[in-house]
Amino acid sequence: MEPTASLLVIVGSTRPGRLGLPVAHWFVERAKQDGRFEVDLADLALIALPLLDESAHPRLQQYRHQHTKDWSARVAAADGVVLVTAEYNHGYPAPLKNALDYLHAEWMHKPVGFVSYGGVSAGTRAVQQLVQVVRALRMLPLVESVAMSNPDRFLQAGAFEPDEAARAAAAGLLDAVYDASVTATRRS
Ligand SMILES: Cc1cc2nc3c(=O)[nH]c(=O)nc-3n(C[C@H](O)[C@H](O)[C@H](O)COP(=O)(O)O)c2cc1C
């Protein structure tokens, strides 16, 4: 039997009515159906981290606040991470940067994939910026990704049902994050 990898899926946008949530629910469903993952959906709107309010650098792990300790435990438990990101003004949403900046060692050496969406650019400019940031955290950004342009066309009665291209991309990303997660777990 294949080992199970724990996958943390983070929804990066927090505004009321965001498309990020149905997109993330769709991806989480795909991951659960895949059968190789235990999935934790981290909705930054619910987690509601304040703007970084720890005085010590996160690499010291001298966390004073319970919200930081909770976030640290959740990220530490993951073998792999998928960031679901919108594109805001050619970048990624600020709550996502804040959530990344809170921690350090917890992210280290973890494979990270991207599910992006936006206008014609499909959120790819946001992903390019994120790649720079996750490299600074010593994460391992995956090439396989899901990028959707104008994804509101896939919304039907609140459910998100994208086309075959997105479904195939999600399968490729899940394969990549699984392989990298299992390899990283064996090394540690
Ligand atoms: C503040 C803001 C800035 C945006 N900037 C861009 C952009 O630069 N490029 C783009 O493709 N879409 C842009 N959009 C459109 C978003 O891609 C689209 O609204 C998407 O649904 C936002 O994600 P969310 O619904 O999860 O918040 C922007 C939307 C907002 C609210």
Side-chain angles (χ1 to χ4, degrees):
M1 199 170 117
E2 284 180 331
T4 304
S6 59
L7 181 66
L8 180 68
V9 178
I10 302 177
V11 192
S13 60
T14 56
R15 69 182 183 93
R18 67 213 146 116
L19 211 56
L21 201 53
V23 171
H25 281 148
W26 163 73
F27 187 77
V28 163
E29 257 335 286
R30 306 295 300 184
K32 285 183 177 166
Q33 284 165 12
D34 179 285
R36 292 176 291 179
F37 299 95
E38 276 168 21
V39 189
D40 179 16
L41 174 61
D43 180 351
L44 296 183
L46 292 180
I47 294 170
L49 289 167
L51 287 176
L52 182 58
D53 61 353
E54 293 285 351
S55 51
H57 191 288
R59 71 172 172 266
L60 301 172
Q61 293 190 304
Q62 292 168 358
Y63 303 137
R64 292 176 55 229
H65 299 294
Q66 191 58 44
H67 55 252
T68 316
K69 293 173 186 167
D70 293 345
W71 183 227
S72 165
R74 208 157 164 184
V75 174
D79 298 316
V81 178
V82 167
L83 303 178
V84 178
T85 185
E87 183 168 303
Y88 288 171
N89 298 312
H90 297 191
Y92 54 88
L96 189 49
K97 181 67 158 61
N98 191 47
L100 289 164
D101 289 342
Y102 253 94
L103 307 175
H104 189 81
E106 296 87 340
W107 301 114
M108 205 180 280
H109 304 147
K110 289 189 177 164
V112 55
F114 305 95
V115 174
S116 70
Y117 54 94
V120 285
S121 70
T124 51
R125 290 175 292 217
V127 169
Q128 289 311 304
Q129 292 189 358
L130 272 168
V131 166
Q132 292 189 337
V133 174
V134 299
R135 285 189 66 245
L137 291 164
R138 295 182 175 75
M139 298 183 83
L140 308 170
L142 299 168
V143 173
E144 292 79 2
S145 63
V146 182
M148 293 176 279
S149 57
N150 304 315
D152 40 347
R153 67 199 155 107
F154 297 138
L155 259 187
Q156 283 165 3
F160 190 74
E161 279 303 329
D163 57 10
E164 177 50 32
R167 290 198 296 272
L173 172 53
L174 287 169
D175 280 346
V177 78
Y178 178 80
D179 289 346
S181 295
V182 169
T183 307
T185 308
R186 284 194 185 127
R187 273 207 204 102
S188 61

